[in-house]
Amino acid sequence: MNDSDEGVAGAAQSKRKDARRNKETLLDAAAAVFVTSGVEAPVRDIAAKAGVGLGTIYRHFPTRADLVIAVYRHQVDACAEAGPALLATSPTPHAALAQWVDLFVDFLVTKHGLAAALQTDNAGFETLHAYFLDRLLPVCTQLLDTAAASGEIRSDLTAYQLMRGVGNLCIGADSDSRYDARRLVELLVAGLRQPG
C-alpha cells in the first residue's frame, strides 16, 4: 500500500465516522421528538431538531416504520452501553441501578406507539422485542447482581421482573397528566434497598 492508498483509506474511514455520527445525531433528535410528541410527530420537526433537511431523513429512513425501528434499536443500544458505564462512575451500585432505570424509563416512553407504527409487521415487532431482551436483560442483571453483592439491595428480584414492573408502571403515563410514572418507578427502585 502506498501513501496515496493510505490517504484514501483514511479519508474513507473518516467519512464513515462522520456519517455514523450524523446518523446518531438524527436518531437522538428523533427520539427526543418522539418523547415529547409521539412516534407520529411530523418528520419536519425531527429534521429541524437534528439540523438536517427532510431529504436526509428520507434517504436514511424511507418510511416512518424504518425511522421508528432505527430509533428503538439505537435507544436499546444506548441503554445497554450505559449500564457498565454507570457502574464504573456512580458512587454506589444502587445509584448506578437507579440512573439506569431512569434511562430505561426514557426509552419506554419513546417506545409507546411503536406497535402502531409497525401495525402489520408482527414479525418485525417480535424481532425487536427479542433484540430488546437480548441486549438489556444481561445489563439489568449485572446492575442488580452488583447492587445485591454490595449489600445495598435485596437479592430476590430478577432483571426480567424489574424491567417488566417498570414497564407496567409506565403504561398509560402519556395519556394521564395526573399519573407520574417516574415517581412510582423511583419508589420501586428505592424499595429494593435492604432494610437497615
Side-chain angles (χ1 to χ4, degrees), residues 11 16 19 29-30 45-46 64 83 92 103 105-106 115 119 123 154 161 165:
R16 281 193 302 274
D45 292 356
I46 297 166
R64 180 174 297 276
T92 67
L103 293 173
V105 169
D106 287 342
Q119 288 165 351
R154 14 180 334 142
Q161 291 169 329

Side-chain angles (χ1 to χ4, degrees), residues 1-160:
M1 186 182 277
N2 62 38
D3 287 343
S4 68
D5 288 341
E6 288 177 14
V8 170
Q13 187 176 16
S14 178
K15 191 173 183 179
R16 281 193 302 274
K17 281 183 183 175
D18 287 346
R20 190 169 41 250
R21 189 171 33 252
N22 291 342
K23 191 172 181 180
E24 287 178 10
T25 298
L26 198 154
L27 292 171
D28 287 339
V33 171
F34 289 169
V35 166
T36 58
S37 305
V39 296
E40 294 301 321
V43 175
R44 70 180 170 277
D45 292 356
I46 297 166
K49 179 111 178 132
V52 300
L54 289 174
T56 300
I57 293 179
Y58 288 118
R59 187 168 48 256
H60 288 288
F61 312 105
T63 68
R64 180 174 297 276
D66 293 333
L67 177 61
V68 172
I69 289 167
V71 167
Y72 181 92
R73 290 179 71 91
H74 177 66
Q75 286 192 300
V76 166
D77 292 342
C79 205
E81 292 162 10
L86 288 168
L87 274 174
T89 60
S90 296
T92 67
H94 183 265
L97 176 65
Q99 288 176 291
W100 186 82
V101 167
D102 202 38
L103 293 173
F104 183 58
V105 169
D106 287 342
F107 163 73
L108 291 175
V109 170
T110 305
K111 185 173 147 302
H112 289 298
L114 177 68
L118 299 176
Q119 288 165 351
T120 59
D121 189 5
N122 282 342
F125 187 79
E126 288 172 17
T127 300
L128 281 176
H129 187 67
Y131 184 75
F132 165 86
L133 292 175
D134 290 347
R135 291 285 281 145
L136 297 184
L137 275 176
V139 174
C140 188
T141 298
Q142 180 188 18
L143 288 158
L144 282 171
D145 288 352
T146 304
S150 75
E152 285 186 281
I153 69 166
R154 14 180 334 142
S155 60
D156 60 347
L157 184 70
T158 68
Y160 181 80

